[in-house]
Amino acid sequence: MNKITIVIPCFNESESLPELINQLSKVTSIFSFILVDNGSEDNTQEILHKLEIPENIEFYKKEVNTGYGAGIKYGLEKVKTEYCGWMHSDLQQDTSVLLDAHKILEKNNLESSGGNFALKGLRTGRSTIENLFTIGVSILSSILFFDKCWDMAGQPNIFKTSSLKFIDNSPDDHKFEFYIY
């Protein structure tokens, strides 16, 4: 059984699903995935039924989109592995970054990390405007949290599952990640 489950909320991502599934199939031996159709209004379900899905990918459908954070929480409720996380479904980040994350976790001895930890990815290949926005949010986050924070929306995010027991009170929208950190 895989030790890490990644939740991927999907909202109206039918066009990117074939490539997403293709990328996820390349990391099947290390990760399990929970894709949450977060109330999509496109043909997401139709596309999912046509794709050949690896055994380590589960799908769940929320009938109504109540927010990005709500989609992640919905998926996290179904996690059975010791470690979990989430990432976006929009292919802004190649899923090969998960292999990098796994190497970092192994290097830092995943098994002996008894305490809480967080592994946060970084976005690359973004425009100057997007990078300026990220810098602004990072400075603000660092001031608010009295700690160095960079790219709050970078993917993937990986945690020890038991450390996320407090998420029931987290926001259901995009403020979810700020709340978690």
Side-chain angles (χ1 to χ4, degrees):
M1 177 188 216
N2 297 330
K3 293 183 181 182
I4 305 170
T5 300
I6 301 294
V7 174
I8 304 175
C10 306
F11 178 70
N12 291 344
E13 291 289 343
S14 64
E15 289 184 21
S16 64
L17 283 174
E19 179 57 25
L20 177 64
I21 299 300
N22 178 50
Q23 287 187 25
L24 296 179
S25 70
K26 295 175 184 175
V27 292
T28 57
S29 63
I30 300 170
F31 293 91
S32 296
F33 298 96
I34 295 175
L35 272 66
V36 176
D37 178 352
N38 202 9
S40 294
E41 299 167 351
D42 63 1
N43 62 337
T44 291
Q45 289 298 309
E46 183 181 317
I47 297 295
L48 286 174
H49 293 319
K50 291 179 180 178
L51 295 172
E52 187 173 320
I53 309 297
E55 288 183 21
N56 69 321
I57 300 175
E58 296 178 54
F59 287 99
Y60 295 93
K61 177 166 178 50
K62 279 187 76 201
E63 293 301 322
V64 177
N65 183 332
T66 54
Y68 169 73
I72 293 171
K73 290 190 290 186
Y74 187 82
L76 288 174
E77 291 172 0
K78 293 152 182 29
V79 169
K80 296 177 180 87
T81 53
E82 187 175 1
Y83 299 92
C84 67
W86 58 88
M87 66 185 295
H88 297 157
S89 62
D90 59 9
L91 300 173
Q92 285 188 38
Q93 191 85 39
D94 190 284
T95 59
S96 65
V97 299
L98 292 171
L99 297 175
D100 296 335
H102 186 259
K103 287 177 190 173
I104 291 169
L105 290 170
E106 279 187 331
K107 181 180 175 186
N108 292 300
N109 197 351
L110 189 70
E111 299 301 324
S112 67
S113 65
N116 294 336
F117 75 94
L119 183 61
K120 183 98 180 97
L122 296 174
R123 294 179 286 181
T124 60
R126 302 178 74 219
S127 72
T128 302
I129 298 290
E130 291 169 323
N131 284 329
L132 288 173
F133 181 77
T134 296
I135 290 167
V137 171
S138 297
I139 291 169
L140 178 62
S141 300
S142 297
I143 292 168
L144 288 173
F145 296 127
F146 301 106
D147 199 358
K148 182 180 163 191
C149 297
W150 183 253
D151 198 2
M152 293 297 281
Q155 304 293 317
N157 302 282
I158 299 175
F159 300 87
K160 191 164 189 171
T161 303
S162 62
S163 69
L164 293 175
K165 299 297 182 202
F166 64 92
I167 67 165
D168 292 339
N169 297 321
S170 65
D172 288 342
D173 58 14
H174 277 284
K175 292 179 266 186
F176 173 80
E177 289 176 335
F178 284 99
Y179 179 87
I180 295 299
Y181 286 99

